[in-house]
């Protein structure tokens, strides 16, 4: 169907929204993705990039009871992942474990490690602690933030603390600060809130309405990237959060998600409902005050948009960099197409 | 024999050499016939060796040859001997004749001394006689000389005694030149002997001179006299040692006084200009004061010329004066500009007389032209004063100020008027202003001042760019009316397309001789183009953002899973249409119409028949038909449909036409609608509500939008998205759908009648 594409494609049976990098798998470049179908039987696919990087193989296919709205792989155990799902009328979140000899049968069932059933409203996302070792989890619904402690051997998860953000702040998503495990950013209707997990208090916020997605820069502390519906991508320095450090135009329609590359600090990916994935080069740095002028000059000269991948049929919602081979990224459009692309031609020279 | 011949030969050769060296300076020429063999063979050569020659001869030749050689040599020797004898004889002859000549000379010289003595004696006697004559005449000559001297003295005395009378006569006949000449001639005598017998005479002549000086001064200051006469008077005065500086001062004062009369009276001029505009009688009115002014300036320049002729060595003051004049001109103009521009009814004037060039600009150009003419006049007189440079500088500053002020006011006015929604006339006026400014600058004809003037243009453009960028930033921070952004966008397009070529044209027309490096139309075009695109994009963004807010509220608030059966079209549709209508209104006022214009269709139930002849119509028709069936096997069918359907370009490039902007806005809104729908889960009633709303939207949207296929596609996409997110996607029956839509239409019609706002129909 897409002859001109340079990427490696893989088709899911149904529509889908979420894809996640399997960070704990150090031997292979793997991704987990789950379908979003209200009426059909939903599936979770474990995809693996062949060693040559030329093929995308389905390593495991597991049925999932409900349509999946969010999926996140456990950073320390490649077999464990979390999903947020909806029955159509109500939402739920759970931790799943892929059965031991996986990949044998075509559609094996998943083991449910724990159900994160402390929510009533619409659950937005489940965040794993980015430190890699910790067994802490956060689940978020529109009003509440819940910190869980997971014991995978006992197959149980306990609520450590729970805090309500209040009725007025309808939370929509968030990101866990990789530089400070006690800090979580959560997007709400009118602002980005920063929560301290020790006190479970909202300690700081950036006034910014309708932020749809947020991601920390794993390489540079204090740098946060947000995506808005209408006004594109903003890069913030949390130490001076009054105004964004840099603005990128984003997409023709909504900018749905944004991800910083885990290795190359300047590279930012964004996906949008205009059926495109954009690769940005954001050189702005508040730390390099001395070279700021020259950077500014070069920014004006160079278009920050390195490339736009437009070979999609529908809105693109899912996006994940590979942490093992950070020049690969996986994108997922609503029609269930996973496309792995390499950004090697655009890597900054060092 | 051979041995005998050898010394003979040697001897003969030496002889011949000697002889030849005696008669000809070059021996090589004297012996051209001698063989040029080796040096030993050459009898005539200097290095001839007789023994060797003999050896060689004996070795080489046989007896016959030797004998022959001997005979030959003997003959040669004989010849040489006779030659020698002849020569000796000749020489001897010559010697004898020379001796004879000397003897004869000796005898001739003999009687000469006596003659010489005689001659000397005679000369002596002549001299003594002439001396005698001289002494006898000496006395008489001396007497004559004395008499002559006395006569001269007497004549001078007579002249001095006559001087007063003569001066008086000169005064009467106004021959001041002669008078001054006489007086200066007599001056040294009067000075020396003035205290003695000439006392009366001196006093009288001094009095006469006094009157002459007076007369001359009056003549100098009287404007009625010709310049030449005045110049002469000045020269004479100078000759009479009258202090010239004081004269200069007086004259300059007079010039300064005349300057006051020369200044352009801004108020009068402005009145005049306004009068011109309103009475439409520019020519006749304009000429009067202009002529007066011109005459005044001409007089001034004449005076300057005279002054320059009179006092050629003191130009500094003149320069200062001329500069002062020009600067006051420009100061006046500046003042005037400030006054005019800050006037509250600035825009009012523009609009009132938008048929004419704005009064201000007309006036500015007029005064500029006048000043330039003045400067040219003065420049002829005082080329060194660099007046043209000065005035160019001043003109540049003034123009800059004018442009800056005009633009700042325009900016303000634009925002003001925009808020009043009165923008129709604006564009025309903007264009006018720029054009007229350009014309004014062009007419000023600063031909040799190319650089400065291009500087002005560049400055102007910098201003414009800065202004636009500033405006752009302002609108980001503040929420000024979105229409203003649109106006700015259009304005930058106007600048890009009309003004910049115009400027370039003017520059090439006015300064065809010079280079116009500083002004790069392409670069400026690019800047403005980018700005206009950005602004347009920003306009669309702000607009869609508003609509997006409406949609967000609509989809966040109800519980779609527990939605009640649809009773009517939801009111958010009205809000949506209202917003779109606003966009349409703004766009219609500001942007030009595109070339494509679809047929108008009568409003009604929004039937699916389209008059568009596009290839995609087929698909949309098919999709419309399949709408009802689609609910069943939804996913499969849409995928199948997508396979066959060519990808509809939703996000096309925005153009500067009404249709393009409206279409883009509608497309973005529908896409947002689809995305909101995808985020929800619906029950059957929820789905039916969406279906109803979309069905209702179809007709008015198609009415406003150029690209029907894309709208059809997007509307269908919304319904597809809703059915995908629906637990039980059973569509409404077409009759019920129709009935509900008709009800809504009737209601809105009634609403229209109640308050006359025109909802798009």
């Amino acid at each position: 169907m897409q002859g001109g594409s340079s990427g490696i494609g893989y088709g899911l049976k149904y529509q889908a929204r979420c894809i996640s990098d399997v960070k704990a798998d150090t031997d292979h470049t793997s991704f987990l993705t789950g379908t979003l179908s209200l009426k059909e039987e939903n599936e979770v696919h474990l995809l693996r990039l062949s060693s040559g990087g030329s093929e995308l193989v389905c390593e495991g296919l597991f049925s999932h009871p409900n349509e999946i709205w969010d999926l996140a792989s456990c950073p320390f155990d490649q077999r464990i992942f979390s999903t947020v799902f909806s029955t159509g009328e109500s939402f739920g979140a759970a931790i799943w474990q892929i059965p031991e000899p996986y990949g044998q049968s075509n559609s094996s069932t998943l083991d449910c490690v724990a159900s994160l059933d402390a929510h009533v409203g619409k659950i937005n996302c489940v965040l794993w602690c980015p430190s890699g070792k910790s067994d802490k989890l956060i689940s978020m619904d529109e009003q509440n933030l819940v910190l869980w402690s997971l014991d995978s051997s006992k197959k149980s998860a306990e609520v450590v603390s729970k805090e309500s953000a209040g009725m007025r702040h309808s939370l929509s998503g968030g990101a866990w600060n990789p530089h400070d495990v006690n800090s979580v950013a959560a997007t709400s209707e009118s602002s980005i809130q920063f929560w301290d997990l020790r006190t479970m208090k909202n300690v700081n916020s950036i006034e910014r309405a309708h932020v749809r997605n947020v991601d920390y820069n794993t390489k540079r502390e204090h740098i946060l990237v947000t995506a808005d519906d209408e006004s594109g991508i903003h890069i913030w320095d949390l130490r001076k959060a009054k105004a964004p450090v840099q603005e990128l135009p984003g997409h023709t329609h909504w900018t749905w998600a944004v991800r910083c590359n885990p290795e190359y600090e300047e590279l930012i990916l964004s996906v949008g409902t205009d059926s495109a994935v954009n690769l940005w080069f954001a050189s702005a740095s508040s730390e390099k005050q001395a070279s700021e002028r020259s950077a500014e000059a070069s920014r004006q000269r160079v278009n920050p948009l390195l490339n736009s991948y437009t070979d999609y049929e529908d809105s693109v919602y899912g996006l994940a960099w590979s942490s093992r081979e950070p020049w690969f990224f996986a994108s997922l459009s609503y029609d269930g197409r996973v496309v792995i692309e390499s950004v090697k031609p655009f890597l900054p020279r060092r | 024999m051979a041995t005998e011949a050898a010394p003979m030969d040697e001897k003969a050769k030496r002889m011949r050499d000697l002889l030849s060296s005696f008669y000809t300076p070059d021996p090589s020429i004297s012996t051209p016939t001698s063989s040029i063999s080796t040096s030993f063979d050459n009898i005539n050569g200097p290095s001839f060796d007789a023994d060797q020659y003999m050896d060689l001869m004996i070795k080489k030749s046989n007896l016959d040859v030797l004998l022959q050689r001997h005979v030959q040599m003997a003959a040669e020797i004989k010849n040489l001997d006779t030659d020698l004898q002849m020569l000796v004889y000749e020489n001897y002859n010559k010697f004898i004749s020379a001796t004879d000549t000397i003897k004869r000379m000796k005898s001739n010289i003999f009687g000469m001394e006596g003659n010489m003595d005689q001659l000397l004696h005679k000369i002596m006697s002549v001299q003594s006689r002439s001396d005698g004559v001289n002494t006898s005449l000496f006395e008489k000559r001396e007497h004559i000389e004395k008499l002559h001297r006395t006569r001269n003295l007497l004549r001078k005395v007579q002249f001095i005694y006559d001087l007063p009378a003569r001066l008086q006569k000169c005064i009467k006949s106004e021959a001041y030149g002669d008078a001054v000449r006489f007086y200066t001639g007599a001056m040294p005598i009067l000075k020396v002997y003035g205290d003695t017998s000439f006392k009366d005479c001196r006093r009288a002549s001094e009095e006469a001179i006094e009157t002459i000086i007076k007369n001359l001064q009056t003549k100098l200051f009287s404007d009625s006299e010709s310049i030449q006469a005045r110049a002469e008077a000045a020269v004479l005065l100078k000759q009479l040692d009258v202090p010239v500086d004081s004269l200069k001062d007086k004259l300059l004062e007079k010039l300064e006084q005349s300057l006051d009369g020369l200044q352009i009276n801004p108020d009068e001029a402005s009145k005049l200009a306004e009068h011109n505009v309103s009475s439409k009688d520019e020519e006749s009115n304009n000429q009067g004061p202009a002529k007066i002014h011109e005459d005044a300036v001409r007089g001034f320049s004449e005076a300057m010329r005279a002054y320059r002729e009179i006092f050629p060595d003191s130009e500094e003051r003149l320069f200062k004066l001329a500069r002062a004049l020009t600067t006051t001109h420009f100061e006046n103009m500046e003042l005037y500009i400030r006054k005019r521009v800050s006037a509250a009814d600035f825009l009012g004037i523009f609009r009132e007389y938008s048929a004419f060039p704005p009064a201000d600009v007309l006036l500015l150009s007029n005064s500029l032209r006048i000043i330039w003419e003045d400067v040219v006049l003065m420049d002829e007189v005082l080329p060194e004063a660099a007046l043209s440079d000065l005035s160019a500088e001043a003109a540049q500053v003034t123009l800059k100020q004018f442009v800056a002020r005009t633009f700042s006011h325009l900016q303000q006015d634009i925002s003001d008027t925009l808020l009043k929604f009165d923008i129709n006339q604006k564009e025309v006026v903007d264009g006018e202003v720029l054009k007229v400014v350009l014309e004014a600058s062009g007419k000023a004809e600063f031909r040799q001042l190319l650089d400065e003037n291009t500087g002005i243009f560049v400055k102007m453009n910098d201003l414009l760019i800065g202004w636009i960028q500033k405006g752009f930033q302002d609108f980001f921070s503040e929420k000024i009316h979105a229409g203003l952004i649109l106006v700015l966008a259009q304005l930058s397009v106007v600048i890009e397309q009309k003004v910049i070529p115009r400027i370039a044209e003017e520059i090439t027309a006015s300064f065809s001789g010079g280079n116009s490096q500083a002004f790069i139309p392409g670069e400026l075009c690019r800047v403005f183009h980018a700005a206009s695109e950005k602004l347009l994009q920003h306009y669309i963004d702000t607009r869609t953002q508003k609509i997006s807010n409406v949609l967000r509220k609509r989809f966040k608030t109800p519980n779609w899973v527990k939605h009640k059966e649809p009773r009517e079209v939801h009111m958010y549709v009205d809000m949506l249409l209202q917003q779109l209508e606003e966009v349409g209104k703004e766009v219609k006022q500001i942007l030009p119409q595109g070339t494509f214009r679809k047929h108008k269709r009568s409003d009604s139930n929004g039937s699916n028949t389209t008059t568009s002849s596009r290839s995609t119509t087929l698909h949309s028709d098919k999709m419309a038909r399949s709408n009802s069936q689609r609910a069943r096997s939804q996913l499969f069918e849409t995928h199948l449909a997508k396979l066959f359907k060519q990808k509809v370009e939703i996000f096309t490039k925005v153009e500067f036409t009404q249709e393009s902007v409206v279409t883009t806005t509608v497309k973005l809104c529908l896409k947002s609608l689809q995305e909101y729908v995808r985020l929800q889960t619906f029950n059957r009633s929820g789905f039916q509500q969406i279906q109803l709303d979309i069905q209702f939207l179809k007709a008015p949207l198609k009415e406003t939008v150029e690209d029907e296929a894309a709208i059809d596609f997007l509307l269908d996409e919304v319904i597809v998205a809703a059915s995908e997110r629906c637990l039980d996607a059973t569509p409404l029956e077409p009759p019920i759908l129709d009935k509900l839509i008709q009800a809504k239409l009737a209601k809105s019609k009634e609403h229209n009648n109640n308050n006359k706002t025109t909802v798009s129909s």
Side-chain angles (χ1 to χ4, degrees):
Chain A
M1 201 151 70
Q2 308 168 327
S5 168
S6 60
I8 307 142
Y10 178 86
L12 300 179
K13 226 188 208 164
Y14 311 113
Q15 289 169 335
R17 276 182 181 269
C18 41
I19 190 162
S20 170
D21 169 48
V22 184
K23 201 175 168 188
D25 186 354
T26 51
D27 303 326
H28 308 93
T29 300
S30 317
F31 295 98
L32 266 174
T33 175
T35 61
L36 180 84
S37 174
L38 209 53
K39 283 156 264 184
E40 315 296 326
E41 193 180 3
N42 285 285
E43 295 163 344
V44 171
H45 290 238
L46 176 62
L47 306 174
R48 181 171 294 170
L49 196 66
S50 64
S51 55
S54 57
E55 229 182 326
L56 197 57
V57 187
C58 178
E59 275 294 307
L61 199 154
F62 317 100
S63 66
H64 187 277
N66 297 103
E67 57 169 8
I68 302 166
W69 283 86
D70 181 62
L71 187 149
S73 176
C74 172
F76 55 86
D77 188 337
Q78 54 171 303
R79 287 168 54 213
I80 295 177
F81 64 94
S82 68
T83 60
V84 173
F85 50 85
S86 160
T87 59
E89 292 180 35
S90 63
F91 276 84
I95 311 292
W96 306 90
Q97 188 172 30
I98 295 167
E100 190 59 65
Y102 59 82
Q104 277 183 340
S105 61
N106 195 25
S107 184
S108 48
T109 47
L110 294 162
D111 299 336
C112 181
V113 177
S115 178
L116 309 177
D117 47 5
H119 297 280
V120 277
K122 183 189 172 187
I123 304 171
N124 293 308
C125 61
V126 172
L127 305 174
W128 292 86
C129 179
S131 69
K133 289 278 167 280
S134 168
D135 48 5
K136 291 286 192 294
L137 277 167
I138 286 174
S139 60
M140 225 183 265
D141 65 29
E142 279 179 329
Q143 267 96 47
N144 300 300
L145 203 70
V146 184
L147 181 64
W148 302 81
S149 173
L150 176 73
D151 190 338
S152 54
S153 55
K154 280 190 201 159
K155 293 204 167 191
S156 69
E158 282 177 21
V159 176
V160 178
S161 50
K162 176 175 175 178
E163 188 58 46
S164 168
M167 285 293 281
R168 289 184 297 116
H169 305 280
S170 154
L171 300 179
S172 60
W176 200 318
N177 190 341
H179 305 285
D180 177 7
V181 290
N182 291 316
S183 174
V184 165
T187 58
S188 81
E189 191 104 291
S190 59
S191 64
I192 308 160
Q193 302 177 348
F194 297 93
W195 290 77
D196 190 327
L197 297 181
R198 290 165 296 197
T199 58
M200 283 308 261
K201 286 275 183 287
N202 181 2
V203 290
N204 193 9
S205 65
I206 296 175
E207 293 302 319
R208 183 86 205 170
H210 311 311
V211 173
R212 196 162 280 284
N213 199 257
V214 59
D215 193 31
Y216 279 98
N217 190 324
T218 48
K219 278 289 162 186
R220 269 161 33 194
E221 213 175 338
H222 309 298
I223 299 294
L224 185 75
V225 183
T226 61
D228 291 9
D229 278 0
E230 271 92 9
S231 46
I233 301 162
H234 293 90
I235 301 169
W236 305 83
D237 188 328
L238 299 182
R239 289 163 300 183
K240 30 182 188 177
K242 284 240 164 64
V245 180
Q246 197 185 352
E247 293 180 24
L248 300 171
H251 289 257
T252 323
H253 198 235
W254 298 352
T255 309
W256 190 270
V258 65
R259 289 286 178 273
C260 297
N261 189 291
E263 195 58 41
Y264 304 98
E265 58 186 49
E266 295 97 345
L267 291 185
I268 295 173
L269 267 181
S270 66
V271 295
T273 49
D274 58 350
S275 312
V277 178
N278 287 350
L279 179 65
W280 306 92
F281 184 84
S283 58
S285 166
S286 56
E287 286 146 317
K288 296 172 194 164
Q289 288 287 353
S291 63
E292 195 167 53
R293 248 178 223 172
S294 64
E296 205 159 357
S298 67
R299 203 187 315 145
Q300 282 172 349
R301 254 187 294 112
V302 178
N303 187 356
L305 179 62
L306 289 179
N307 193 26
S308 186
Y309 304 89
T310 54
D311 217 352
Y312 299 91
E313 294 290 309
D314 208 332
S315 304
V316 188
Y317 299 121
L319 178 67
W321 285 100
S322 164
S323 51
R324 193 175 155 267
E325 292 173 285
W327 47 88
F328 281 117
F329 73 85
S331 54
L332 175 64
S333 56
Y334 194 56
D335 55 2
R337 250 188 93 68
V338 180
V339 177
I340 309 270
E341 297 262 13
S342 166
V343 298
K344 258 185 183 162
F346 306 103
L347 287 186
R349 285 199 198 122
R350 326 196 137 184
Chain B
M1 266 177 74
T3 40
E4 247 179 56
M8 273 284 285
D9 259 350
E10 198 182 2
K11 213 174 153 188
K13 189 207 151 233
R14 201 178 298 141
M15 202 64 171
R16 190 180 287 177
D17 273 353
L18 273 168
L19 287 171
S20 62
S21 74
F22 181 78
Y23 285 104
T24 53
D26 198 351
S28 65
I29 294 168
S30 71
T31 56
T33 48
S34 64
S35 65
I36 320 158
S37 51
T38 52
S39 52
F40 320 112
D41 308 347
N42 193 1
I43 292 173
N44 297 330
S47 57
F48 178 74
D49 190 338
D51 294 334
Q52 269 183 344
Y53 183 75
M54 262 318 287
D55 288 346
L56 216 74
M57 201 67 126
I58 291 165
K59 273 177 197 164
K60 266 206 249 171
S61 324
N62 55 10
L63 193 64
D64 282 345
V65 175
L66 281 173
L67 273 175
Q68 212 176 323
R69 181 77 183 149
H70 167 74
V71 173
Q72 191 188 336
M73 274 194 167
E76 276 177 8
I77 290 163
K78 218 175 259 170
N79 274 351
L80 283 172
D81 271 341
T82 47
D83 282 353
L84 191 67
Q85 277 174 3
M86 281 282 285
L87 283 171
V88 169
Y89 178 71
E90 273 172 25
N91 278 342
Y92 186 68
N93 252 0
K94 277 175 192 168
F95 179 70
I96 286 168
S97 68
T99 330
D100 283 351
T101 314
I102 290 166
K103 254 181 206 161
R104 223 172 28 246
M105 277 171 72
K106 238 181 187 169
S107 64
N108 281 350
I109 267 178
F110 221 55
M112 204 124 107
E113 207 156 315
N115 288 345
M116 286 306 264
D117 281 348
Q118 222 177 336
L119 188 65
L120 185 69
H121 185 71
K122 274 173 187 164
I123 287 170
M124 293 278 270
S125 72
V126 168
Q127 199 191 349
S128 67
R129 270 179 208 157
S130 88
D131 278 355
V133 172
N134 208 12
T135 44
S136 62
L137 285 179
F138 180 73
E139 240 173 87
K140 276 180 188 167
R141 202 196 302 143
E142 202 140 89
H143 185 64
I144 288 167
E145 269 174 16
K146 216 177 176 180
L147 283 175
H148 181 68
R149 249 179 278 147
T150 321
R151 184 177 165 259
N152 271 358
L153 197 64
L154 283 173
R155 197 186 281 161
K156 274 181 196 168
V157 170
Q158 173 71 32
F159 174 75
I160 287 167
Y161 275 115
D162 283 353
L163 190 59
R166 207 178 281 218
L167 288 179
Q168 288 301 332
K169 212 190 264 172
C170 284
I171 288 167
K172 257 175 206 164
S173 63
E174 293 196 340
Y176 299 115
D178 293 340
V180 169
R181 209 170 59 235
F182 297 148
Y183 181 72
T184 44
M187 266 303 265
I189 297 167
L190 286 176
K191 246 179 203 163
V192 179
Y193 304 106
D195 297 335
T196 56
S197 53
F198 294 122
K199 214 172 203 170
D200 295 340
C201 186
R202 187 191 177 190
R203 208 176 42 241
S205 59
E206 270 175 358
E207 272 167 17
I209 284 298
E210 212 102 292
T211 48
I212 285 172
I213 288 174
K214 235 175 247 165
N215 284 355
L216 282 175
Q217 278 176 348
T218 49
K219 197 175 178 186
L220 193 59
F221 291 123
S222 75
D223 294 329
S224 55
E225 293 292 331
S226 72
I227 299 156
Q228 211 164 356
R230 289 165 71 183
E232 272 169 15
V235 171
L236 293 177
L237 282 174
K238 230 173 164 186
Q239 279 176 3
L240 288 173
D241 281 346
V242 178
V244 188
D245 286 346
S246 65
L247 278 176
K248 254 191 241 169
D249 290 348
K250 276 181 194 166
L251 205 59
L252 281 174
E253 265 169 36
K254 243 182 122 187
L255 276 177
E256 270 163 27
Q257 278 173 5
S258 70
L259 272 190
D260 293 341
L262 269 184
Q263 275 160 21
I264 302 169
N265 193 336
D267 288 335
E268 261 177 40
S270 71
K271 263 182 218 158
L272 209 116
E274 273 173 42
H275 187 61
N276 280 349
V277 172
S278 51
S279 70
K280 305 179 188 179
D281 196 10
E282 293 181 35
E283 289 306 308
S284 59
N285 258 336
N286 223 0
Q287 271 174 1
K291 218 164 205 175
I292 292 165
H293 178 79
E294 205 184 309
D295 287 348
V297 172
R298 190 150 288 158
F300 176 69
S301 70
E302 289 288 298
M304 292 246 285
R305 181 175 299 155
Y307 183 85
R308 195 169 137 73
E309 270 173 27
I310 295 162
F311 307 112
D313 51 341
S314 55
E315 281 160 346
E316 282 301 309
R317 296 280 304 269
L318 268 185
F319 293 169
K320 262 183 212 157
L321 259 183
R323 284 207 182 126
L325 175 65
T326 32
T327 34
T328 40
H329 273 352
F330 280 108
E331 265 166 23
N332 277 339
M333 205 152 81
E334 211 171 286
L335 252 170
Y336 168 70
I337 286 169
R338 201 168 298 156
K339 217 162 93 193
R340 289 295 293 149
V341 172
S342 57
D345 57 345
F346 182 73
L347 195 72
I349 293 168
F350 270 7
R351 206 174 293 145
E352 248 175 84
Y353 308 122
S354 62
F356 302 97
D360 273 347
V361 180
L362 187 77
L363 183 75
L364 179 73
S365 74
N366 266 345
S367 20
L368 266 182
R369 197 188 310 136
I370 289 167
I371 289 175
W372 181 247
E373 278 163 6
D374 296 357
V375 166
V376 167
L377 271 175
M378 287 190 276
D379 206 31
E380 278 171 18
V381 183
L382 292 172
E384 298 95 332
L387 268 186
S388 50
D389 290 353
L390 182 81
S391 66
E393 252 167 56
Q396 190 184 348
V397 171
T398 327
L399 269 180
K400 258 184 213 169
Q401 264 181 350
F402 176 74
V403 169
R405 278 169 196 282
T406 315
F407 280 128
S408 64
H409 273 265
L410 268 182
Q411 185 181 356
Q412 210 183 322
D413 290 336
I414 287 172
S415 30
D416 288 353
T417 39
L418 254 173
L419 293 175
K420 290 180 217 149
F421 263 79
D422 185 13
I423 33 186
N424 268 351
Q425 275 280 309
K426 262 326 286 169
E427 286 313 305
V428 190
V429 177
D430 288 349
E432 286 279 305
V433 172
L434 287 173
K435 270 182 226 159
V436 173
V437 166
L438 287 175
E439 275 162 14
S441 327
K443 273 180 195 161
E445 288 178 17
F446 296 123
R447 26 183 209 289
Q448 70 260 57
L449 307 165
L450 166 78
D451 291 342
E452 283 89 330
N453 250 3
T454 41
I456 296 172
F457 288 130
V458 170
K459 176 77 188 168
M460 195 171 87
N461 283 294
D462 283 353
L463 261 171
L464 278 173
I465 293 166
W467 168 45
I468 282 180
Q469 278 167 354
K470 201 178 122 223
F472 195 41
Q473 278 168 5
D474 283 353
F475 304 136
F476 265 125
S477 51
E478 299 164 38
K479 294 215 163 171
I480 299 178
H481 202 274
L484 183 47
I485 300 166
L486 199 56
V487 170
L488 279 178
Q490 182 59 19
L491 182 62
S492 31
V493 168
V494 167
I495 289 168
E496 183 209 342
Q497 290 179 345
K498 291 190 183 142
V499 177
I500 288 178
R502 180 81 200 217
I503 294 174
E505 223 172 78
E506 286 288 347
I507 286 178
T508 45
S510 307
F511 319 110
S512 51
N515 59 343
S516 50
Q517 292 294 323
F519 184 78
I520 310 155
E523 180 64 18
L524 288 171
C525 277
R526 203 184 53 67
V527 169
F528 276 109
H529 190 73
S532 62
E533 271 181 4
K534 250 187 186 170
L535 286 167
L536 191 64
Q537 196 56 51
H538 189 62
Y539 171 75
I540 291 172
D541 281 355
T542 44
R543 274 304 178 186
T544 47
Q545 220 161 335
K546 263 190 185 170
I547 297 171
S548 210
N549 277 338
V550 172
L551 294 176
R552 180 181 290 120
K553 269 183 203 132
R554 162 67 180 147
F555 281 93
K556 282 259 164 97
T557 32
N559 188 346
W560 287 96
V561 184
K562 287 168 186 162
H563 201 274
K564 282 177 192 152
E565 211 166 296
R567 296 231 182 91
E568 54 174 8
V569 179
H570 195 268
M571 56 177 283
Y572 86 93
V573 174
D574 288 340
M575 288 163 80
L576 189 68
L577 286 175
Q578 201 184 327
Q579 291 278 345
L580 287 175
E581 195 192 323
E582 247 174 65
V583 173
K585 252 189 203 165
E586 284 177 359
V587 158
K588 225 171 250 166
Q589 279 176 317
I590 292 157
L591 291 182
Q593 239 176 36
T595 46
F596 173 77
R597 197 84 193 107
K598 69 185 172 97
H599 303 287
K600 281 269 173 195
R601 287 182 304 161
S602 58
D603 66 311
S604 61
N605 46 14
S607 64
N608 285 325
T609 53
T610 61
T611 49
S612 164
S613 60
R614 299 193 158 197
S615 61
T616 39
T617 326
L618 235 164
H619 298 299
S620 55
D621 272 355
K622 194 182 96 188
M623 285 186 59
R625 258 188 281 114
S626 63
N627 256 354
S628 51
Q629 311 150 11
R630 184 169 291 160
R632 310 290 133 83
S633 51
Q634 201 61 61
L635 209 56
F636 176 72
E637 202 166 298
T638 42
H639 276 303
L640 205 67
K642 269 184 185 172
L643 270 179
F644 291 107
K645 190 165 50 184
Q646 73 194 80
K647 198 174 172 184
V648 175
E649 283 295 322
I650 304 167
F651 305 108
T652 46
K653 198 168 156 21
V654 189
E655 286 159 20
F656 276 91
T657 58
Q658 296 173 9
E659 290 83 2
S660 175
V661 171
V662 172
T663 308
T664 311
T665 316
V666 170
K667 277 178 183 173
L668 286 174
C669 292
L670 288 180
K671 183 68 187 169
S672 299
L673 187 60
Q674 180 197 2
E675 293 297 335
Y676 280 123
V677 167
R678 277 184 181 178
L679 284 171
Q680 302 298 333
T681 311
F682 302 94
N683 64 357
R684 188 205 304 183
S685 304
F687 168 67
Q688 286 175 347
Q689 180 71 56
I690 298 290
Q691 191 199 359
L692 176 62
D693 295 346
I694 296 303
Q695 190 64 35
F696 179 78
L697 271 177
K698 217 168 221 171
L701 284 187
K702 277 185 177 177
E703 202 57 40
T704 49
V705 165
E706 159 191 275
D707 189 355
E708 286 185 15
I711 300 304
D712 265 332
F713 171 76
L714 279 167
L715 286 171
D716 281 338
E717 282 286 297
V718 175
I719 292 181
V720 169
S723 69
E724 278 168 2
R725 297 299 314 154
C726 179
L727 294 165
D728 174 19
T730 313
L732 275 178
E733 292 297 318
I736 303 171
L737 204 63
D738 214 33
K739 202 175 129 199
L740 286 172
I741 288 171
Q742 289 300 342
K744 176 74 181 175
L745 279 173
K747 202 176 163 192
S748 63
K749 233 175 215 164
E750 193 182 309
H751 186 70
N752 276 355
N753 291 343
N754 285 348
N755 51 0
K756 293 287 182 185
T757 50
T758 50
V759 175
S760 79
S761 50

